[in-house]
Every structure is written in C-alpha cells, then in structure tokens.
Amino acid sequence: MTQYETAVARYFEAWNATGPEARAKAIAAAWIEDGGYTDPLAEARGHEQLAAVIAGAREQFPGHEFRLTGAVDGHHDMARFCWELVSTADGSAPVAATDVITLAEDGRIRSVLGFLDRVPTTG
C-alpha cells in the first residue's frame, strides 16, 4: 500500500468510526493536530472541530458508510480520490465527492479540500 492509500484508508476509518472515543482515536491517526478539512458545506481545523463535522455528517446520514470509489492518485505530498456515502440498507449513494489531501511529513493529513459531486435534493 502506498503512503497515499494508507492516508486515505485512515481518512475513511475516521469518517466511518462510530462513537466519540473511536472517532477521536481515528482522527488522531489520520490528521495532524492542526489539520484541516474544507468543503462547500463545512470547514474545520484541529481534532475537535474535525470530530464535530464528522459526527454531524454521521447524524445526518445514519446507516451510511463512506466508501472509496476508484483508485487513489498521488504525487509529492498530495493525493486525490473519489468517494460515495452509501446506505448499508439499500446501497443507494446520495452523496459523492472528490477530495484532494495534502500530507504532512509523518504521512498524516495536513489538509483536505472536498468537492461535492452529488448531494441530495430537497423537495
């Protein structure tokens, strides 16, 4: 597994962690202490804010998992990958995105820039 694939696997462990303790441990393994996350709907810096953003997404989409779609593409200290938020009940995927991460020297994430490719419509 490349350093990029390892970082992305840790990223998904954090997003899919259940419960505050497991989430905090996974975030610490995935992100540096002042690591960040930015997408059109959220911005967070540091482990506590990251935990709050992830917990909010998990509450908004109970019974869903974040899953990698396709390969991780990386060079230098950056990687990009696509993912979907998939219902474990019926396999539907209401959210899809492309993320670009920057890695710190220790292989953990310094920053995430997320681009939402598909989001649920409200009716």
Side-chain angles (χ1 to χ4, degrees), residues 2-16 30-31 36-39 50 54 65-75 77-85 95-103 107-118:
T2 69
Q3 66 177 341
Y4 311 112
E5 292 166 331
T6 298
V8 171
R10 289 182 184 152
Y11 176 82
F12 284 109
E13 287 173 14
W15 279 96
N16 287 321
W31 271 273
Y37 177 88
T38 305
D39 74 15
L50 290 163
I54 292 170
E65 293 181 339
F66 292 84
R67 295 185 189 166
L68 180 66
T69 59
V72 176
D73 181 27
H75 65 82
D77 64 347
M78 298 175 290
R80 70 176 172 173
F81 55 95
C82 298
W83 56 266
E84 290 182 324
L85 183 61
V95 180
T98 301
D99 287 356
V100 176
I101 61 173
T102 303
L103 300 178
R108 291 187 295 163
I109 297 169
R110 177 179 309 285
S111 67
V112 178
L113 298 176
F115 296 86
L116 298 174
D117 301 320
R118 179 175 61 243

Side-chain angles (χ1 to χ4, degrees), residues 21-76:
E21 289 181 24
R23 188 172 298 121
K25 184 177 179 180
I27 288 169
W31 271 273
I32 61 172
E33 288 74 15
D34 65 343
Y37 177 88
T38 305
D39 74 15
L41 304 175
E43 187 168 7
R45 177 143 319 275
H47 291 180
E48 286 185 23
Q49 289 183 11
L50 290 163
V53 167
I54 292 170
R58 303 292 302 165
E59 289 170 13
Q60 185 177 359
F61 294 96
H64 286 71
E65 293 181 339
F66 292 84
R67 295 185 189 166
L68 180 66
T69 59
V72 176
D73 181 27
H75 65 82
H76 294 83

